[in-house]
Each structure stands twice: as C-alpha cells, then as structure tokens.
Amino acid sequence: MRATFLYEAGDVRVQDAPDPVVEQPTDAIVRVLRSCVCGSDLHPYHSLTAADGPVPMGHEFLGTVEETGSEVSGLQRGDLVVAPFAFADNTCEFCRAGLHTSCPAGGFFAAAGVGGAQAEAIRVPQAQGTLVKLPNDVDEALLPSLLTLADVYGTGYHAAHRAQVEPGDSVTVIGDGAVGLLTVLSAGQLGAERIILMGRHQERTDLGRYFGATDVIAERGDEGIARVRDLTGGHGTRAVLEAVGHMPAYEMAVGAVRPGGVISRVGVPQYEDAPVGFGSLFGPNVTLTGGPAPVRAYIEKLLPAVLDGTRDPGRVFDRTLTLEQTPDGYRAMDRREALKVLLTP
Amino acid sequence: MRATFLYEAGDVRVQDAPDPVVEQPTDAIVRVLRSCVCGSDLHPYHSLTAADGPVPMGHEFLGTVEETGSEVSGLQRGDLVVAPFAFADNTCEFCRAGLHTSCPAGGFFAAAGVGGAQAEAIRVPQAQGTLVKLPNDVDEALLPSLLTLADVYGTGYHAAHRAQVEPGDSVTVIGDGAVGLLTVLSAGQLGAERIILMGRHQERTDLGRYFGATDVIAERGDEGIARVRDLTGGHGTRAVLEAVGHMPAYEMAVGAVRPGGVISRVGVPQYEDAPVGFGSLFGPNVTLTGGPAPVRAYIEKLLPAVLDGTRDPGRVFDRTLTLEQTPDGYRAMDRREALKVLLTP
C-alpha cells in the first residue's frame, strides 16, 4: 500500500509500505476512506531529527473494516467505522472511567509499532473497543464532520468538559487552530454564555464566531491578557481552554483566568516545566487540568448531532487533497495557508 | 504591648510594640487569647534576610473583641472570636464563591501593614466579614481545637475539598505536619475510604492514624512512590493532598497520583516552576489544584463538631508556651521536637 512517513523535519514522503495485517486476535484492518493532517503533526514536522526518522504519520481516520481478528466481535467486513486517535480496550477500569488514553492495553496510532492513518489502510489494535460503527449509508457530505470525532472535535470537547463548563459560564479559548475552534463549539454546546476566542487569523476567527465565539481578541501576550481582563470586569474568565501547547499560550492562560478558575489544556505541551507557584496558579487557587483527550469516551455523545446536521465541525477542513498530495498538505498547514487538510484515497 | 518579630533567619524576638488601634472604620482590635506557630512561619525563619526584617509574625489567633470601628456591626466588646488567617469582607463575588483569599478588600495578617498574631493584641481589617463569633462560655479545653479553625484545620479541609474527595475515595496525604494530619482528618470527614499518610515521624503518623489514616508510608522519593503504588494495584490514589510545599513533595505527588486523578496542594510552594508537561501531569490527565485556603468559607461548617467534641483537631498542639517564650516555640518546631506550639498570653 501507499503510506506517509516523516523522515526528518520538513521531509514528508508518501511511499510504498507493506500492507497491514492482523497481528493480534484483537486487531482489525481498516481501509482508510478519509484521513487528515493534525496540528500536532506539525510538532515533529518542525523538530524530528533524521536519526529519529522515518516515522509513520497520521492518527485520524474513518474507513471500512476489511478484516478482523478472531477475538473481534460486533464488527464485519464492510462496516463504516471511525476511530479515536488512541486505541483502547473500552472495558478496563480507566476506560470505564472515561479515560481511554490511560488504558493499559491501549496506545496511539502512528507510534510504537502501529502504523499511521495517512495511508491506504491501517491496523487497529483493540479493534472492538476502539472502532465505532457509523451508518453504512451515511451521506458522503457528512464524512468530514464525522472524521473530526477521531480527534479535533473530541479534543475540543475534552477541554471544555474537563473545565466543567456549564450554562452561563465565561470562557476564554486560546488558539484558532481546528482544536481551538471546536473547543469554542464545545464550550457553547455545554452552555457557556461568553466565549472569548484568542486568535489572529481572521478567516479562522470568523469560523470561530460561527461556532459560537462572542468576542475575538487578536492581541497576544500581556496585551491579550489585558484585553480579556477589560472584557471581564478586570478578573478574567472562569475557564481558560488552551489549545496551542506552547509556553506563551500557557502564560496567557495564567494571565486570563479568574481567581479560583480553571485552565484546561489540550494543546500538547511543548515544554515540561512551567510556572505553578504562588505567583501563578497557587496564590489565586487556579486549577490546571486537561491532557490527551480520551475521545473514545465522547464519540457516541457527539455523534447524533453530527449525523442529523445540527453541528458541522467538519467546517474546519478548508482544503482537500489526495493521499499522494499529503506533503503539500503539511506545507499548506505549516504556512497557515490551510486550517486543516482532509485527505482522500 | 508585646509582639513577636522575625529579624532574620533564626532570630525571633518578642519586644515592645505600639498597641494596635482602629485605623479604618471597618477595623476591630482583638485581644489575643490563644495564638500559635505555623509550619509556614518556618519558611521565613529559614530564609529571611536581615535586609528584609524585622517583620511581624503570626496569623492564627482567637481572642476577645476590644474595640470596633464605626462600620463594624454584629460584634461587641468582649465577644470571643476566631479569625481566618486571611481577612476578607465576606460580601464580594469572590467571598460569595468561597474564595476569601482572593477578596479584593482582603489580605493576610502579619503582612502589608497589618500586625502579627503572636502578640498581645491585633488589628483586624474587615472585621465584620472576618471574625466569627464563638460561644462566650466555651470550655477552655476546646480553645486549641477552635484555634485550628484559623488555619490548619481549614487548610487541611481545603486540600480535601478542592480534590473533591467523596465517599469511598482513595487518597494519599503527603506531610505529617499539623496541616497534613488535619488533611487526613478532613479526607476522612468527606468519606475517603483509604487514606495513605506519607510521613516519617512516628509520633505524628500515630496521630495521623488516630485522625483516620489507614496506611502510613515512611519512605520518600521513588521508594515512597513505589510503596503507594504497591498499596493501590500499581496505579496510585485518585487524590494526592500535598501539605508540604517543597519540590520533592510535588514530585512524590506526581508519582503517587492515579491517571485522571487530582493533586491538591496546600503546602505553600517554595518553588515557582514545576513539571506539568506530557511526562508528568498532561499525559495522564492529572489535575493540579489547591492554593491558600479560604478558611473563612469553612469555619461555620467545621465549628459544630469541634464545639460538641466530635472532632478534636486541637490534638496537633503538643506544646504550650507563653508569648514571651515564642522564640523557643520556633526552635522546637524547627528541630521537630514539637509538632505545633500553642501560645498563651
């Protein structure tokens, strides 16, 4: 088959690779119908060294089941399925608690011997717990929105859910990437009344307004913090949902959160240490939460409104390319010419 | 009057000082009946430079009202009162939300022009919102337990409350100081089923068992973490309540918390930056919460069981000295000869 590999920073290649096969009785093989490039794919795209490459790429996909291992039940060849970006058995105590990303039998696609989704087909470990069936006759126009359930919509939902956003709440969302915009959508879905979106690309923030942002702040750093405080009686918002992952975004979150409030992070941190002492989190009793989203826990909840068209998170895709054009997709997202690139076979 | 000042690390003096007077119409003057030395007093006792001294000391007291400003109502000369370590108006939006430590009209005793409680008398700003009346005929034997409502009991309760400890929960408490032990008491009060106390002073951990600890771990660092994991099926406890404030305690908390769990800090952090990235908090979706306890929010709730003798947090006091002997109290606590020193006039 054809599959995407990152050789080193900036060097993405689509090349021949062995067809995936069932390795464990709990595996399934899925033929990829739609996949995409994630904002988090840009982190290794910026930093991978040649010594650490090549690595398979892509962790978001929907497709049709081709083959299942002997211990997989409830899935048949031809079923249309979507997968969360982390596979999991969906039966252990962590999965039952909605924390599929900590499943001891789980892991991430495009890592540790599991192939990537920017490919013609993919092996899915723990297939029965991981894959969620979609109606086989679904309108093709819904596929982009359904694909967001694999990661970006569920990740945005996780940010809002972990911050315990509730009706009437005030929320700041940092980041106008696909996750940030779907964090706006999710915060609104949970009832937030005021949603301040911090982002500086007008096409994106306009989409953010469509998804429910009530205010947009283009300024960054101290100026951005001052603007949030101006809008909130000087105190900041009760929740800040951080969908970037870089230190300046963390610092803005600390500056924009109200005393006693919550910073919920879903942008993968590109730092290990950060301020948490008296002068940042401790003094004002600010809570820091979030992590990789257990999107498997949210798919069934978010699915109906996508299927009936009430919510259209798929609008984050503003460019469609073929698998062979994947390197162009990385370039376009890296240059911010595209918000999020959808890949077809 | 006589009052305690720290001149520099290790140099505590009780000396003559001007009698406090009503400066604002919202002030009251309280004659101190009981005060004490706090574990957090040891931080400046270890680190204050002569250039930054002398500073007044003490933030925990109960006593009788001597005088009230013209805008203070509901308090009369002679009333027995206890104060939280942070004064606050108890009417603003933060106080109404139970976050008195962020009251814009509030502040801390022994700081910013407000005297310390290790003294014969003290000026109480925002007296009406700050002081809580106690029965004037209360049994003198209850005074030590009532004094813990000023800080250490409320602070322990804050740790458990912010971690949302609930019936059946599993909890690790780091620290066998007075706050750690009353964190054990509070976790039990909120229904925790398993309470693992990390501490290495047997007299203290024995008191911890009396307060409800089900397990005691004397080991520290990686060995201590391994012991917690051994006791909890390999995963750690859902909540870790950190009552120390030093970096090794933070690191133990990260190691002992279950994925998806909560670290709740009430030990005043002696660091600003700490690990919060993928390898510590983010990857396992661990929540970090806590801060200076708004103990004013908890006094009415905790008071009845202290008054009727059901709970006896005052057992943390294992030495009683007079105000003049305060320097001996610091020395005894610093050398860990005393757990917590009660001061009488």
Side-chain angles (χ1 to χ4, degrees):
Chain A
M1 68 163 181
R2 302 286 288 170
T4 305
F5 293 84
L6 179 64
Y7 274 71
E8 65 177 309
D11 183 4
V12 179
R13 305 183 199 172
V14 180
Q15 64 187 35
D16 288 332
D19 286 332
V21 295
V22 168
E23 295 177 12
Q24 302 289 331
T26 46
D27 287 353
I29 305 301
V30 170
R31 178 134 308 259
V32 176
L33 197 59
R34 293 289 183 278
S35 71
C36 53
V37 184
C38 187
S40 68
D41 291 335
L42 296 182
H43 293 315
Y45 184 75
H46 291 145
S47 64
L48 191 77
T49 62
D52 289 333
V55 294
M57 295 299 292
H59 51 263
E60 301 155 284
F61 65 98
L62 56 73
T64 51
V65 174
E66 241 182 31
E67 194 187 343
T68 54
S70 59
E71 291 178 16
V72 178
S73 66
L75 290 169
Q76 309 231 324
R77 185 180 167 87
D79 281 346
L80 183 67
V81 290
V82 65
F85 68 84
F87 55 85
D89 63 19
N90 203 29
T91 58
C92 73
E93 55 182 319
F94 291 103
C95 288
R96 289 198 310 273
L99 198 67
H100 296 72
T101 44
S102 291
C103 173
F108 297 96
F109 290 106
V114 180
Q118 292 159 8
E120 290 184 284
I122 188 166
R123 177 173 75 89
V124 180
Q126 301 297 338
Q128 191 176 321
T130 302
L131 296 171
V132 178
K133 277 208 276 191
L134 302 171
N136 267 15
D137 59 351
V138 73
D139 185 342
E140 194 178 305
L142 287 179
L143 293 183
S145 283
L146 291 168
L147 179 58
T148 66
L149 296 171
D151 185 345
V152 285
Y153 188 14
T155 294
Y157 190 82
H158 186 58
H161 174 72
R162 292 290 286 194
Q164 301 179 0
V165 171
E166 57 179 23
D169 230 333
S170 69
V171 171
T172 299
V173 174
I174 299 178
D176 58 7
V179 171
L181 299 180
L182 295 178
T183 300
V184 168
L185 179 69
S186 301
Q189 192 168 342
L190 291 175
E193 197 174 288
R194 178 152 221 176
I195 303 175
I196 301 171
L197 172 60
M198 304 190 78
R200 42 201 273 156
H201 304 88
Q202 199 187 328
E203 275 183 30
R204 299 179 180 196
T205 56
D206 284 351
L207 185 52
R209 287 188 192 273
Y210 170 80
F211 284 139
T214 54
D215 304 88
V216 168
I217 293 180
E219 291 85 351
R220 296 183 179 187
D222 289 344
E223 214 180 329
I225 291 168
R227 292 269 290 122
V228 175
R229 294 187 168 265
D230 280 352
L231 289 174
T232 54
H235 297 306
T237 53
R238 193 206 55 88
V240 177
L241 313 179
E242 196 281 87
V244 177
H246 291 291
M247 181 52 73
Y250 182 92
E251 289 166 345
M252 281 212 295
V254 170
V257 70
R258 181 184 169 84
V262 180
I263 297 170
S264 182
R265 293 180 298 166
V266 290
V268 181
Q270 302 302 300
Y271 51 83
E272 187 58 39
D273 286 10
V276 301
F278 208 98
S280 47
L281 304 188
F282 188 87
N285 270 283
V286 166
T287 295
L288 178 67
T289 191
V295 300
R296 179 66 185 82
Y298 308 129
I299 292 179
E300 281 96 342
K301 182 185 200 90
L302 302 178
L303 184 56
V306 172
L307 283 175
D308 73 14
T310 310
R311 296 205 163 82
D312 50 0
R315 289 185 61 151
V316 295
F317 293 109
D318 58 351
R319 187 167 301 190
T320 301
L321 299 174
T322 63
L323 176 60
E324 292 299 326
Q325 295 171 309
T326 302
D328 296 334
Y330 277 79
R331 265 189 295 275
M333 283 178 59
D334 183 41
R335 293 174 184 163
R336 295 181 182 274
E337 294 162 10
L339 171 55
K340 192 167 176 72
V341 171
L342 184 71
L343 298 172
T344 61
Chain B
M1 68 163 181
R2 302 286 288 171
T4 304
F5 293 84
L6 179 65
Y7 274 71
E8 66 178 308
D11 183 5
V12 179
R13 305 184 200 173
V14 180
Q15 65 187 34
D16 288 333
D19 288 332
V21 294
V22 167
E23 295 177 12
Q24 301 289 332
T26 46
D27 286 352
I29 305 302
V30 171
R31 178 133 311 257
V32 175
L33 197 58
R34 294 290 183 277
S35 70
C36 53
V37 183
C38 187
S40 69
D41 291 335
L42 296 182
H43 294 315
Y45 184 75
H46 291 147
S47 64
L48 190 77
T49 62
D52 289 334
V55 293
M57 294 300 292
H59 52 263
E60 300 154 285
F61 64 98
L62 56 73
T64 50
V65 174
E66 242 183 31
E67 195 186 344
T68 54
S70 59
E71 291 177 15
V72 177
S73 66
L75 290 170
Q76 307 230 328
R77 185 180 167 87
D79 281 345
L80 183 66
V81 290
V82 65
F85 68 85
F87 57 85
D89 63 19
N90 203 29
T91 58
C92 74
E93 55 182 317
F94 290 103
C95 288
R96 289 197 311 273
L99 196 69
H100 297 72
T101 44
S102 291
C103 173
F108 298 96
F109 289 106
V114 180
Q118 292 158 9
E120 290 185 284
I122 187 166
R123 178 174 74 90
V124 180
Q126 301 296 338
Q128 190 175 323
T130 301
L131 296 172
V132 178
K133 277 207 275 191
L134 302 171
N136 267 15
D137 59 350
V138 74
D139 184 343
E140 195 177 303
L142 287 179
L143 294 183
S145 283
L146 291 168
L147 179 59
T148 66
L149 296 172
D151 184 346
V152 285
Y153 188 15
T155 294
Y157 190 83
H158 186 58
H161 174 72
R162 291 290 285 196
Q164 300 180 359
V165 171
E166 57 179 23
D169 230 333
S170 69
V171 171
T172 300
V173 174
I174 298 178
D176 59 7
V179 171
L181 299 180
L182 295 179
T183 300
V184 168
L185 178 70
S186 301
Q189 192 169 342
L190 290 175
E193 198 174 287
R194 178 153 221 175
I195 304 174
I196 301 171
L197 172 61
M198 304 190 78
R200 43 202 272 156
H201 304 88
Q202 199 188 328
E203 275 184 30
R204 299 178 180 195
T205 56
D206 284 351
L207 186 52
R209 287 188 193 273
Y210 169 82
F211 283 140
T214 55
D215 304 87
V216 168
I217 293 180
E219 291 84 350
R220 296 183 178 187
D222 288 344
E223 215 180 328
I225 292 168
R227 292 268 290 122
V228 175
R229 293 186 170 267
D230 281 351
L231 289 174
T232 55
H235 298 306
T237 52
R238 194 206 55 88
V240 177
L241 313 179
E242 197 281 88
V244 177
H246 290 291
M247 182 51 74
Y250 182 91
E251 289 165 346
M252 281 211 296
V254 170
V257 70
R258 181 186 170 83
V262 179
I263 296 170
S264 182
R265 295 179 297 166
V266 290
V268 180
Q270 302 303 301
Y271 50 82
E272 186 59 37
D273 285 10
V276 301
F278 208 98
S280 49
L281 304 188
F282 189 86
N285 269 282
V286 166
T287 295
L288 179 67
T289 191
V295 300
R296 179 66 185 82
Y298 307 130
I299 293 179
E300 282 96 341
K301 183 185 201 88
L302 302 178
L303 184 56
V306 172
L307 283 175
D308 72 16
T310 310
R311 298 206 161 81
D312 51 0
R315 289 186 61 152
V316 295
F317 293 109
D318 57 351
R319 186 166 302 190
T320 301
L321 299 174
T322 64
L323 176 60
E324 293 299 325
Q325 296 171 310
T326 303
D328 296 333
Y330 277 78
R331 264 189 296 276
M333 283 180 57
D334 183 41
R335 293 174 184 162
R336 295 180 183 274
E337 295 162 10
L339 171 55
K340 192 167 176 73
V341 171
L342 185 71
L343 299 172
T344 61

